[in-house]
Every structure is written in structure tokens, then in C-alpha cells.
């Protein structure tokens, strides 16, 4: 099986073959045409509309066959929409300019219990206004969030809205990111017991070499866990977090 490279451009067409000279037009179409091991490059321009990499239906990567979704080198590919990953593994999102966007690595929809694993979010530029809860919301395990720039030049948000929000999972790394002007906390590690009857955990996370500046309602960082009502048998824990050189 070959690992193929495809291209998307606002001036392309989904009737094309996805090559560099005859690119596709929409990201969702590209996701549906590719397989584990492939790379999709976004050419310069603006892409709008809600985006989902939905790996329940064969999108994304697999062990030994990473799927890569990247801005084309030297060009400014801008996504202005919510972008979520559902039940994905071995997928790498890099070198994309997100504007007013929520990036969510969340569980399967409708309260499901299948999480994303082995997702890389690296070298992206995330700007615009603060969105609810967090610009990057991370659940699941074995993720790498590295070398991203998050700058809220248009303000927005309140004390509960953060830059990077690590909500649960194990063996996640948040490294080398720059977060400026977040409404709440720049980097927020907080696990909530009341959202799952089985309890949640943040375990063995590494938070290192990040720079956070000018948080408006909170501080740069927070590490904490919530509690369920005493009458309910629900737990939350934060354990084994390495926090250094921030």
C-alpha cells in the first residue's frame, strides 16, 4: 500500500484528482478520500465551515501509518471554523493557521467512551477571539501538543475560557507552546468528576518549556481536579504530572 499525497485549494474542485496541479476544493471531501499513511496539504487561502476528522468511518491514521494534515510549506492556509477529531488515532495536524477556531480532541459523540489516541498538534498558529472553555481542548491519551502559537488579539471570553485545556487522559505532552492574552488560564489542567459516572483522570502528563503571558482573568497555569456531589460515587484524580521549565 502506497502512502499518497493530496492537495486542497479554495480554487480547486472536488471533481479533480487531488494532485498538486488539480487539487480538491474542500477539506471534508479530502478526509473522505484518503487512507491511513496519506498526507493532505492545504494550499493558501481561507477555509470555512465546521470540520470533523471522523475516524469511525475510516478517516485518519493507524498504527504504523500516520495520517498528516498540514498547511503547504511557505503558504498561509487559514481555517475559520470549529475543528474536531472523533475516535482518531495516529493523526498529525501541523502548520495551519486557525482563526476564531475551537480545536477539540474529544470523545465519541453523545456521551460515548471511545477517545482519541496518538494525536500530534504541532507548529500551528491560532489567532482571533477566545472561544468557550478552551481554544484547544484535549482528552484521550498519548498526544503531543507542541510548538503552537496561540494569540487572542481580539479578546473575548471569560474566566472559564482558556488557551490549552487538558481535560483528561494519560501520557500527554504539552511542550514549547506560546499562549498570549487568554481570557482564563493559559494552560489549564483540570479533570471533572461529574462529567462521567466512572470518574476521570489526568495521569503522567508532561508540561514543559511553554510560555504564557497576559492571561486576563486567571494565571498562566492551573493544575486541579473537581469533585462530584458526596452522594454520588464519582472520582477524579490528577497524578504524576511533570511540570518544568515553563
Amino acid at each position: 500500500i502506497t502512502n499518497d499525497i493530496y492537495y486542497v485549494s479554495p480554487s480547486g474542485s472536488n471533481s479533480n484528482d487531488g494532485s498538486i496541479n488539480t487539487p480538491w476544493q474542500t477539506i471534508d471531501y479530502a478526509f473522505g478520500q484518503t487512507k491511513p499513511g496519506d498526507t493532505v496539504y492545504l494550499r493558501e487561502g481561507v477555509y470555512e465551515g465546521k470540520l470533523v476528522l471522523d475516524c469511525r468511518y475510516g478517516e485518519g491514521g493507524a498504527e504504523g501509518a500516520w495520517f498528516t494534515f498540514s498547511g503547504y510549506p511557505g503558504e498561509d492556509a487559514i481555517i475559520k471554523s470549529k475543528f474536531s477529531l472523533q475516535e482518531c488515532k495516529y493523526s498529525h495536524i501541523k502548520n495551519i493557521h486557525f482563526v476564531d477556531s475551537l480545536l477539540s480532541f474529544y470523545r465519541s459523540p453523545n456521551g460515548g467512551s471511545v477517545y482519541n489516541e496518538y494525536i500530534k498538534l504541532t507548529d500551528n498558529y491560532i489567532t482571533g477571539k477566545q472561544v468557550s472553555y478552551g481554544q484547544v481542548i484535549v482528552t484521550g491519551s498519548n498526544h503531543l501538543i507542541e510548538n503552537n502559537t496561540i494569540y487572542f488579539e481580539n479578546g473575548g471570553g471569560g474566566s472559564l475560557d482558556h488557551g490549552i485545556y487538558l481535560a483528561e487522559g494519560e501520557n500527554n505532552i504539552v511542550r514549547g507552546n506560546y499562549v498570549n492574552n487568554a481570557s482564563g488560564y493559559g494552560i489549564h489542567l483540570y479533570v471533572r468528576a461529574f462529567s462521567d459516572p466512572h470518574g476521570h483522570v489526568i495521569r503522567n502528563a508532561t508540561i514543559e518549556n511553554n510560555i504564557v503571558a497576559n492571561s486576563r482573568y486567571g494565571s498562566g497555569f492551573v493544575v486541579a481536579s473537581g469533585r462530584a456531589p458526596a452522594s454520588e460515587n464519582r472520582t477524579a484524580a490528577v497524578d504524576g504530572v511533570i511540570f518544568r521549565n515553563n
Side-chain angles (χ1 to χ4, degrees):
I1 299 176
T2 60
N3 297 332
D4 296 315
I5 300 175
Y6 297 100
Y7 301 84
V8 178
S9 170
S11 62
S13 170
N14 289 343
S15 63
N16 289 339
D17 62 4
S19 65
I20 191 168
N21 293 319
T22 52
W24 292 320
Q25 184 180 44
T26 64
I27 296 169
D28 277 344
Y29 183 81
F31 286 166
Q33 300 302 307
T34 51
K35 63 185 184 304
D38 288 350
T39 296
V40 173
Y41 280 116
L42 292 185
R43 302 304 304 267
E44 184 155 342
V46 177
Y47 302 83
E48 297 185 274
K50 181 179 177 181
L51 298 174
V52 179
L53 182 61
D54 195 338
C55 301
R56 297 174 297 167
Y57 305 106
E59 299 177 2
E63 186 173 5
W66 282 80
F67 174 74
T68 301
F69 178 49
S70 175
Y72 190 77
E75 297 184 359
D76 190 18
I78 299 172
I79 291 178
K80 298 182 71 174
S81 70
K82 178 180 179 180
F83 179 39
S84 61
L85 291 85
Q86 293 181 349
E87 299 188 23
C88 292
K89 297 182 178 181
Y90 302 101
S91 298
H92 189 183
I93 297 92
K94 66 177 185 177
N95 194 35
I96 296 172
H97 184 181
F98 294 93
V99 177
D100 299 338
S101 300
L102 165 65
L103 283 70
S104 174
F105 305 2
Y106 208 60
R107 292 181 285 169
S108 49
N110 303 318
S113 59
V114 179
Y115 291 81
N116 297 290
E117 292 187 274
Y118 297 100
I119 305 300
K120 295 179 182 179
L121 183 72
T122 68
D123 301 296
N124 298 285
Y125 189 48
I126 302 167
T127 65
K129 64 183 178 182
Q130 174 83 60
V131 301
S132 297
Y133 299 111
Q135 222 74 7
V136 178
I137 299 178
V138 181
T139 68
S141 298
N142 302 298
H143 303 318
L144 174 66
I145 315 300
E146 185 173 44
N147 294 339
N148 301 285
T149 295
I150 302 175
Y151 177 44
F152 302 103
E153 78 272 26
N154 293 333
S159 62
L160 299 180
D161 307 320
H162 315 292
I164 298 171
Y165 187 168
L166 178 56
E168 57 191 327
E170 302 184 20
N171 306 314
N172 293 308
I173 298 172
V174 180
R175 175 194 294 141
N177 302 283
Y178 175 72
V179 183
N180 193 340
N181 205 33
S183 180
Y185 296 97
I187 297 178
H188 185 263
L189 279 71
Y190 183 80
V191 61
R192 305 191 304 171
F194 55 83
S195 58
D196 188 333
H198 304 294
H200 286 167
V201 65
I202 295 174
R203 180 178 290 120
N204 299 334
T206 300
I207 315 299
E208 62 183 359
N209 301 325
N210 301 284
I211 297 173
V212 176
N214 303 315
S215 297
R216 284 173 280 140
Y217 292 99
S219 61
F221 303 84
V222 68
V223 180
S225 63
R227 295 189 300 172
S231 60
E232 300 182 20
N233 184 24
R234 303 185 185 185
T235 60
V238 177
D239 180 53
V241 174
I242 298 172
F243 197 92
R244 61 191 174 201
N245 300 327
N246 295 286

